[in-house]
Amino acid sequence: MLSVKETLGAGACIVNGGVTDGRAGRARWASAVLAALGLLAGACGASQGASQGVSQGTGRQSGAATVQRSSPVATAPTPSTTTPTTSSAGSLVAGRYQPLWPFADEKQARDWQESYRSGGHQPWHLDAERTALSFTQGFLGFTGVDQVVKRTVTGGDARVSVGIRGEGGGRPGIAAVIHLVRFGAGPDAPWEVVGTDDTTFSLTTPGYGAVVSSPVTVGGRITGVDESIRVDVRATGSARPLGERCCVAAGGDGVPWSATVTFRAVPGRTLTLVASTGGHVAKVERFAVTGVRVAR
């Protein structure tokens, strides 16, 4: 018996076997074995080549997949429910509130900061109470509302309740709760009026930050007796109302009220819608404001 064992290199195929007698037989046997070895070696080499080819191909695919995973994926930002999509970030206070007064945008607030740092210009912008009263008396023209009844300040957010003098020296009545937010960065960022909190007199239509056009329907709810509601459309930098409507009779307990107002304003501008009522003990006893933007 003759055994043939051949090593064909790393990973090669191994062939065993073969038995015969005689020189001719051995010659034929050897020839057959060599032929068989050649066929098997070729088959094994082809198998190895295919295996290597698959491995290399997978490696390239893995490399490509790695590149794809490491590439940044562009995704659309999730819209904020509190930020109007028509407003740019620079025109909003703290990225979400309408700038009603005294600054129309963040650039104006920064300009004031620079003037304050260099010369102490108008320091009242750093006082939430004085800003709230200046807004009420100077911007809105409600000169009879001259009392700060209460204030709450938390970081860059403030609520200042303004009101009228009580009859006979009694406790002042609250006319509105004014919401203010620091506009910009730094410890000297000024206060900006961004709206009012609704109480027994609300202004909920149109919604805060809504895009509007003329004429606009304004409304909300009121609790009171024999009320007379006036609506003004105002904007920072304008001494007079851009539109007005008077007078809407209302009254009851949480009763809806509404009015339609015509105005003229520059497209894209921020507006302050103002609703006020009074006439019992003072011309203006309660008011509410909201911020909107003019359609482009």
mmCIF file of all heavy atoms in Angstrom, residues 186-222:
data_model
loop_
_atom_site.group_PDB
_atom_site.id
_atom_site.type_symbol
_atom_site.label_atom_id
_atom_site.label_comp_id
_atom_site.label_asym_id
_atom_site.label_seq_id
_atom_site.Cartn_x
_atom_site.Cartn_y
_atom_site.Cartn_z
ATOM 1 N N GLY A 186 -26.330 88.909 29.641
ATOM 2 C CA GLY A 186 -25.554 89.700 30.580
ATOM 3 C C GLY A 186 -26.377 90.179 31.748
ATOM 4 O O GLY A 186 -27.608 90.229 31.691
ATOM 5 N N PRO A 187 -25.705 90.550 32.844
ATOM 6 C CA PRO A 187 -26.421 91.017 34.038
ATOM 7 C C PRO A 187 -27.141 92.338 33.830
ATOM 8 O O PRO A 187 -28.014 92.698 34.614
ATOM 9 C CB PRO A 187 -25.302 91.148 35.078
ATOM 10 C CG PRO A 187 -24.050 91.346 34.277
ATOM 11 C CD PRO A 187 -24.237 90.543 33.041
ATOM 12 N N ASP A 188 -26.776 93.075 32.780
ATOM 13 C CA ASP A 188 -27.436 94.346 32.490
ATOM 14 C C ASP A 188 -28.387 94.250 31.298
ATOM 15 O O ASP A 188 -28.693 95.260 30.651
ATOM 16 C CB ASP A 188 -26.397 95.452 32.246
ATOM 17 C CG ASP A 188 -25.453 95.112 31.099
ATOM 18 O OD1 ASP A 188 -25.517 93.968 30.582
ATOM 19 O OD2 ASP A 188 -24.644 95.982 30.722
ATOM 20 N N ALA A 189 -28.876 93.038 31.010
ATOM 21 C CA ALA A 189 -29.891 92.894 29.955
ATOM 22 C C ALA A 189 -31.165 93.609 30.404
ATOM 23 O O ALA A 189 -31.625 93.417 31.534
ATOM 24 C CB ALA A 189 -30.173 91.419 29.693
ATOM 25 N N PRO A 190 -31.754 94.456 29.569
ATOM 26 C CA PRO A 190 -32.920 95.242 29.980
ATOM 27 C C PRO A 190 -34.201 94.410 30.027
ATOM 28 O O PRO A 190 -34.301 93.351 29.410
ATOM 29 C CB PRO A 190 -33.009 96.309 28.881
ATOM 30 C CG PRO A 190 -32.456 95.623 27.666
ATOM 31 C CD PRO A 190 -31.349 94.750 28.179
ATOM 32 N N TRP A 191 -35.190 94.930 30.749
ATOM 33 C CA TRP A 191 -36.495 94.288 30.810
ATOM 34 C C TRP A 191 -37.317 94.676 29.589
ATOM 35 O O TRP A 191 -37.283 95.814 29.121
ATOM 36 C CB TRP A 191 -37.245 94.699 32.068
ATOM 37 C CG TRP A 191 -36.686 94.123 33.330
ATOM 38 C CD1 TRP A 191 -35.949 94.764 34.282
ATOM 39 C CD2 TRP A 191 -36.820 92.766 33.774
ATOM 40 N NE1 TRP A 191 -35.607 93.902 35.293
ATOM 41 C CE2 TRP A 191 -36.127 92.669 35.012
ATOM 42 C CE3 TRP A 191 -37.444 91.633 33.259
ATOM 43 C CZ2 TRP A 191 -36.051 91.479 35.732
ATOM 44 C CZ3 TRP A 191 -37.366 90.443 33.972
ATOM 45 C CH2 TRP A 191 -36.688 90.371 35.192
ATOM 46 N N GLU A 192 -38.075 93.696 29.088
ATOM 47 C CA GLU A 192 -38.962 93.913 27.935
ATOM 48 C C GLU A 192 -40.351 93.396 28.281
ATOM 49 O O GLU A 192 -40.509 92.284 28.804
ATOM 50 C CB GLU A 192 -38.432 93.163 26.713
ATOM 51 C CG GLU A 192 -39.301 93.269 25.466
ATOM 52 C CD GLU A 192 -39.066 94.549 24.681
ATOM 53 O OE1 GLU A 192 -38.178 95.341 25.079
ATOM 54 O OE2 GLU A 192 -39.754 94.762 23.667
ATOM 55 N N VAL A 193 -41.375 94.206 27.991
ATOM 56 C CA VAL A 193 -42.756 93.760 28.182
ATOM 57 C C VAL A 193 -43.114 92.802 27.051
ATOM 58 O O VAL A 193 -42.922 93.110 25.871
ATOM 59 C CB VAL A 193 -43.725 94.952 28.185
ATOM 60 C CG1 VAL A 193 -45.171 94.458 28.257
ATOM 61 C CG2 VAL A 193 -43.431 95.882 29.356
ATOM 62 N N VAL A 194 -43.638 91.623 27.419
ATOM 63 C CA VAL A 194 -43.985 90.611 26.414
ATOM 64 C C VAL A 194 -45.465 90.235 26.435
ATOM 65 O O VAL A 194 -45.924 89.451 25.597
ATOM 66 C CB VAL A 194 -43.120 89.340 26.587
ATOM 67 C CG1 VAL A 194 -41.646 89.665 26.382
ATOM 68 C CG2 VAL A 194 -43.346 88.705 27.947
ATOM 69 N N GLY A 195 -46.242 90.787 27.392
ATOM 70 C CA GLY A 195 -47.665 90.476 27.444
ATOM 71 C C GLY A 195 -48.240 90.718 28.822
ATOM 72 O O GLY A 195 -47.596 91.320 29.692
ATOM 73 N N THR A 196 -49.471 90.250 29.043
ATOM 74 C CA THR A 196 -50.116 90.307 30.361
ATOM 75 C C THR A 196 -50.727 88.961 30.685
ATOM 76 O O THR A 196 -51.040 88.170 29.783
ATOM 77 C CB THR A 196 -51.222 91.381 30.405
ATOM 78 O OG1 THR A 196 -52.183 91.124 29.364
ATOM 79 C CG2 THR A 196 -50.659 92.778 30.241
ATOM 80 N N ASP A 197 -50.876 88.699 31.979
ATOM 81 C CA ASP A 197 -51.573 87.487 32.421
ATOM 82 C C ASP A 197 -53.062 87.790 32.540
ATOM 83 O O ASP A 197 -53.453 88.821 33.093
ATOM 84 C CB ASP A 197 -51.040 87.038 33.788
ATOM 85 C CG ASP A 197 -49.619 86.504 33.698
ATOM 86 O OD1 ASP A 197 -49.132 86.284 32.571
ATOM 87 O OD2 ASP A 197 -48.998 86.303 34.755
ATOM 88 N N ASP A 198 -53.880 86.900 32.017
ATOM 89 C CA ASP A 198 -55.330 87.110 32.050
ATOM 90 C C ASP A 198 -55.900 86.803 33.426
ATOM 91 O O ASP A 198 -55.492 85.844 34.087
ATOM 92 C CB ASP A 198 -56.017 86.244 31.006
ATOM 93 C CG ASP A 198 -55.650 86.650 29.576
ATOM 94 O OD1 ASP A 198 -55.350 87.841 29.359
ATOM 95 O OD2 ASP A 198 -55.674 85.779 28.702
ATOM 96 N N THR A 199 -56.858 87.625 33.845
ATOM 97 C CA THR A 199 -57.561 87.387 35.107
ATOM 98 C C THR A 199 -59.062 87.393 34.822
ATOM 99 O O THR A 199 -59.563 86.490 34.169
ATOM 100 C CB THR A 199 -57.178 88.459 36.150
ATOM 101 O OG1 THR A 199 -57.393 89.769 35.590
ATOM 102 C CG2 THR A 199 -55.711 88.341 36.538
ATOM 103 N N THR A 200 -59.781 88.423 35.315
ATOM 104 C CA THR A 200 -61.229 88.502 35.057
ATOM 105 C C THR A 200 -61.529 89.183 33.737
ATOM 106 O O THR A 200 -62.693 89.338 33.365
ATOM 107 C CB THR A 200 -61.922 89.285 36.186
ATOM 108 O OG1 THR A 200 -61.333 90.593 36.288
ATOM 109 C CG2 THR A 200 -61.768 88.550 37.510
ATOM 110 N N PHE A 201 -60.472 89.597 33.038
ATOM 111 C CA PHE A 201 -60.622 90.232 31.733
ATOM 112 C C PHE A 201 -59.527 89.683 30.827
ATOM 113 O O PHE A 201 -58.344 89.885 31.093
ATOM 114 C CB PHE A 201 -60.504 91.753 31.888
ATOM 115 C CG PHE A 201 -60.669 92.532 30.604
ATOM 116 C CD1 PHE A 201 -61.613 92.152 29.663
ATOM 117 C CD2 PHE A 201 -59.896 93.654 30.358
ATOM 118 C CE1 PHE A 201 -61.777 92.874 28.486
ATOM 119 C CE2 PHE A 201 -60.050 94.394 29.199
ATOM 120 C CZ PHE A 201 -60.998 94.003 28.259
ATOM 121 N N SER A 202 -59.913 88.957 29.805
ATOM 122 C CA SER A 202 -58.914 88.289 28.969
ATOM 123 C C SER A 202 -58.979 88.743 27.520
ATOM 124 O O SER A 202 -60.025 89.205 27.033
ATOM 125 C CB SER A 202 -59.100 86.765 29.035
ATOM 126 O OG SER A 202 -60.309 86.375 28.415
ATOM 127 N N LEU A 203 -57.833 88.578 26.848
ATOM 128 C CA LEU A 203 -57.718 88.843 25.411
ATOM 129 C C LEU A 203 -57.030 87.620 24.818
ATOM 130 O O LEU A 203 -55.821 87.480 24.913
ATOM 131 C CB LEU A 203 -56.894 90.111 25.181
ATOM 132 C CG LEU A 203 -57.032 90.819 23.823
ATOM 133 C CD1 LEU A 203 -56.311 92.172 23.855
ATOM 134 C CD2 LEU A 203 -56.473 89.974 22.686
ATOM 135 N N THR A 204 -57.816 86.740 24.255
ATOM 136 C CA THR A 204 -57.290 85.453 23.790
ATOM 137 C C THR A 204 -57.372 85.255 22.287
ATOM 138 O O THR A 204 -56.829 84.281 21.763
ATOM 139 C CB THR A 204 -58.047 84.310 24.483
ATOM 140 O OG1 THR A 204 -59.463 84.475 24.267
ATOM 141 C CG2 THR A 204 -57.773 84.315 25.984
ATOM 142 N N THR A 205 -58.073 86.158 21.597
ATOM 143 C CA THR A 205 -58.200 86.080 20.143
ATOM 144 C C THR A 205 -57.748 87.398 19.540
ATOM 145 O O THR A 205 -58.235 88.454 19.968
ATOM 146 C CB THR A 205 -59.650 85.804 19.717
ATOM 147 O OG1 THR A 205 -60.093 84.577 20.301
ATOM 148 C CG2 THR A 205 -59.772 85.703 18.208
ATOM 149 N N PRO A 206 -56.782 87.356 18.588
ATOM 150 C CA PRO A 206 -56.061 86.190 18.056
ATOM 151 C C PRO A 206 -55.058 85.640 19.070
ATOM 152 O O PRO A 206 -54.751 86.304 20.060
ATOM 153 C CB PRO A 206 -55.338 86.769 16.825
ATOM 154 C CG PRO A 206 -55.156 88.209 17.159
ATOM 155 C CD PRO A 206 -56.368 88.620 17.946
ATOM 156 N N GLY A 207 -54.593 84.443 18.821
ATOM 157 C CA GLY A 207 -53.653 83.817 19.745
ATOM 158 C C GLY A 207 -52.331 84.556 19.799
ATOM 159 O O GLY A 207 -51.941 85.255 18.856
ATOM 160 N N TYR A 208 -51.644 84.397 20.900
ATOM 161 C CA TYR A 208 -50.348 85.050 21.098
ATOM 162 C C TYR A 208 -49.363 84.630 20.004
ATOM 163 O O TYR A 208 -49.185 83.455 19.723
ATOM 164 C CB TYR A 208 -49.792 84.667 22.468
ATOM 165 C CG TYR A 208 -48.525 85.406 22.846
ATOM 166 C CD1 TYR A 208 -48.589 86.709 23.325
ATOM 167 C CD2 TYR A 208 -47.289 84.801 22.718
ATOM 168 C CE1 TYR A 208 -47.430 87.394 23.685
ATOM 169 C CE2 TYR A 208 -46.128 85.467 23.067
ATOM 170 C CZ TYR A 208 -46.202 86.771 23.549
ATOM 171 O OH TYR A 208 -45.055 87.447 23.893
ATOM 172 N N GLY A 209 -48.744 85.631 19.364
ATOM 173 C CA GLY A 209 -47.786 85.353 18.299
ATOM 174 C C GLY A 209 -48.406 85.055 16.955
ATOM 175 O O GLY A 209 -47.689 84.722 16.008
ATOM 176 N N ALA A 210 -49.731 85.184 16.833
ATOM 177 C CA ALA A 210 -50.411 84.886 15.572
ATOM 178 C C ALA A 210 -50.044 85.904 14.495
ATOM 179 O O ALA A 210 -49.661 87.035 14.783
ATOM 180 C CB ALA A 210 -51.919 84.861 15.786
ATOM 181 N N VAL A 211 -50.161 85.495 13.242
ATOM 182 C CA VAL A 211 -49.968 86.389 12.102
ATOM 183 C C VAL A 211 -51.332 86.931 11.705
ATOM 184 O O VAL A 211 -52.270 86.163 11.481
ATOM 185 C CB VAL A 211 -49.322 85.637 10.922
ATOM 186 C CG1 VAL A 211 -49.206 86.547 9.706
ATOM 187 C CG2 VAL A 211 -47.952 85.100 11.318
ATOM 188 N N VAL A 212 -51.456 88.243 11.633
ATOM 189 C CA VAL A 212 -52.763 88.864 11.393
ATOM 190 C C VAL A 212 -52.694 89.836 10.226
ATOM 191 O O VAL A 212 -51.623 90.244 9.783
ATOM 192 C CB VAL A 212 -53.254 89.620 12.652
ATOM 193 C CG1 VAL A 212 -53.319 88.686 13.850
ATOM 194 C CG2 VAL A 212 -52.360 90.816 12.957
ATOM 195 N N SER A 213 -53.858 90.198 9.737
ATOM 196 C CA SER A 213 -53.993 91.226 8.709
ATOM 197 C C SER A 213 -55.231 92.046 9.039
ATOM 198 O O SER A 213 -56.043 91.659 9.887
ATOM 199 C CB SER A 213 -54.119 90.587 7.319
ATOM 200 O OG SER A 213 -55.216 89.695 7.271
ATOM 201 N N SER A 214 -55.355 93.183 8.397
ATOM 202 C CA SER A 214 -56.478 94.077 8.671
ATOM 203 C C SER A 214 -57.663 93.754 7.762
ATOM 204 O O SER A 214 -57.488 93.498 6.564
ATOM 205 C CB SER A 214 -56.048 95.527 8.437
ATOM 206 O OG SER A 214 -57.083 96.425 8.715
ATOM 207 N N PRO A 215 -58.863 93.742 8.332
ATOM 208 C CA PRO A 215 -59.226 93.939 9.741
ATOM 209 C C PRO A 215 -58.976 92.673 10.565
ATOM 210 O O PRO A 215 -58.952 91.581 10.027
ATOM 211 C CB PRO A 215 -60.725 94.256 9.668
ATOM 212 C CG PRO A 215 -61.190 93.496 8.467
ATOM 213 C CD PRO A 215 -60.057 93.562 7.471
ATOM 214 N N VAL A 216 -58.794 92.854 11.876
ATOM 215 C CA VAL A 216 -58.533 91.732 12.760
ATOM 216 C C VAL A 216 -59.646 91.648 13.799
ATOM 217 O O VAL A 216 -60.110 92.668 14.316
ATOM 218 C CB VAL A 216 -57.161 91.877 13.462
ATOM 219 C CG1 VAL A 216 -57.084 93.157 14.285
ATOM 220 C CG2 VAL A 216 -56.849 90.663 14.334
ATOM 221 N N THR A 217 -60.068 90.436 14.090
ATOM 222 C CA THR A 217 -61.084 90.213 15.120
ATOM 223 C C THR A 217 -60.395 89.934 16.445
ATOM 224 O O THR A 217 -59.533 89.056 16.541
ATOM 225 C CB THR A 217 -62.003 89.038 14.753
ATOM 226 O OG1 THR A 217 -62.697 89.343 13.536
ATOM 227 C CG2 THR A 217 -63.029 88.784 15.856
ATOM 228 N N VAL A 218 -60.746 90.719 17.446
ATOM 229 C CA VAL A 218 -60.149 90.627 18.776
ATOM 230 C C VAL A 218 -61.224 90.203 19.762
ATOM 231 O O VAL A 218 -62.374 90.649 19.657
ATOM 232 C CB VAL A 218 -59.552 91.985 19.190
ATOM 233 C CG1 VAL A 218 -58.920 91.908 20.566
ATOM 234 C CG2 VAL A 218 -58.533 92.444 18.159
ATOM 235 N N GLY A 219 -60.869 89.342 20.714
ATOM 236 C CA GLY A 219 -61.878 88.913 21.675
ATOM 237 C C GLY A 219 -61.312 88.164 22.853
ATOM 238 O O GLY A 219 -60.115 87.893 22.927
ATOM 239 N N GLY A 220 -62.187 87.852 23.788
ATOM 240 C CA GLY A 220 -61.812 87.121 24.988
ATOM 241 C C GLY A 220 -63.027 86.940 25.874
ATOM 242 O O GLY A 220 -64.151 86.793 25.375
ATOM 243 N N ARG A 221 -62.826 87.005 27.193
ATOM 244 C CA ARG A 221 -63.934 86.885 28.156
ATOM 245 C C ARG A 221 -63.807 87.966 29.222
ATOM 246 O O ARG A 221 -62.710 88.445 29.505
ATOM 247 C CB ARG A 221 -63.949 85.497 28.806
ATOM 248 C CG ARG A 221 -64.334 84.376 27.846
ATOM 249 C CD ARG A 221 -64.408 83.025 28.532
ATOM 250 N NE ARG A 221 -64.857 82.002 27.609
ATOM 251 C CZ ARG A 221 -66.133 81.698 27.353
ATOM 252 N NH1 ARG A 221 -67.101 82.350 28.001
ATOM 253 N NH2 ARG A 221 -66.450 80.766 26.502
ATOM 254 N N ILE A 222 -64.943 88.327 29.806
ATOM 255 C CA ILE A 222 -64.940 89.360 30.828
ATOM 256 C C ILE A 222 -65.966 89.052 31.904
ATOM 257 O O ILE A 222 -67.014 88.454 31.637
ATOM 258 C CB ILE A 222 -65.245 90.740 30.197
ATOM 259 C CG1 ILE A 222 -65.010 91.866 31.214
ATOM 260 C CG2 ILE A 222 -66.659 90.788 29.631
ATOM 261 C CD1 ILE A 222 -65.020 93.247 30.613
#
